[in-house]
């Protein structure tokens, strides 16, 4: 299961750690929708995402669309290398409108 810091964010920041996959998106969806309802601006830190699949990408698209529909601001930050690779492959980087910031993790290089 995906680890989330600040599962009930009062400050509007949610950090996702581990996988963003078909196995975790349902729980994440509820957390992210709650965050959007509780604050006008949400930061979704993706620096700890170690795996992402099509369901994870669909969740990111859905939460971005929901933020626009609610008139809220949603920022994706700290894009991990796997997130950047999927955004590049899908051609959706521009859709999200946030600068891509990769977090360098030297631990992955030694594997």
């Amino acid at each position: 299961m995906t680890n989330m810091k600040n599962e009930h964010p009062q400050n509007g920041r949610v950090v996702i750690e581990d996988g963003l996959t078909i196995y975790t998106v349902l729980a994440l969806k509820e957390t992210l929708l709650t965050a959007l309802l509780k604050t006008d601006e949400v930061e979704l830190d993706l620096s700890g995402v170690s795996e992402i699949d099509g369901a994870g990408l669909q969740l990111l698209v859905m939460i971005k669309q929901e933020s626009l529909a609610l008139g809220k601001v949603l920022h994706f930050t700290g894009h991990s290398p796997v997130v950047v690779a999927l955004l590049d492959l899908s051609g959706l980087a521009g859709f999200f409108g946030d600068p891509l910031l990769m977090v360098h993790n030297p631990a992955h290089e030694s594997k």
Side-chain angles (χ1 to χ4, degrees):
M1 177 173 230
T2 296
N3 252 337
M4 291 176 287
K5 294 181 181 176
N6 304 330
E7 288 189 34
H8 305 288
Q10 300 302 316
N11 63 355
R13 186 164 191 263
V14 177
V15 179
I16 299 177
E17 297 178 336
D18 299 326
L20 186 53
T21 67
I22 193 169
Y23 304 107
T24 61
V25 294
L26 189 57
L28 286 169
K29 177 183 175 183
E30 295 305 316
T31 299
L32 295 175
L33 289 173
T34 299
L36 280 178
L37 294 174
K38 289 188 175 190
T39 183
D40 290 335
E41 189 168 347
V42 175
E43 175 191 350
L44 183 55
D45 185 335
L46 303 171
S47 61
V49 176
S50 60
E51 180 182 14
I52 186 170
D53 64 10
L57 181 59
Q58 286 178 328
L59 176 67
L60 296 181
V61 169
M62 182 279 303
I63 202 68
K64 184 65 172 187
Q65 290 174 328
E66 191 67 21
S67 70
L68 294 171
L70 293 171
K72 306 289 180 109
V73 177
L74 175 65
H75 299 286
F76 295 95
T77 62
H79 304 77
S80 71
V82 297
V83 172
V84 171
L86 186 59
L87 291 178
D88 186 44
L89 179 67
S90 68
L92 289 173
F95 166 79
F96 294 105
D98 291 300
L100 294 178
L101 172 64
M102 270 183 49
V103 175
H104 178 69
N105 188 348
H108 288 288
E109 292 177 358
S110 62
K111 293 182 180 180

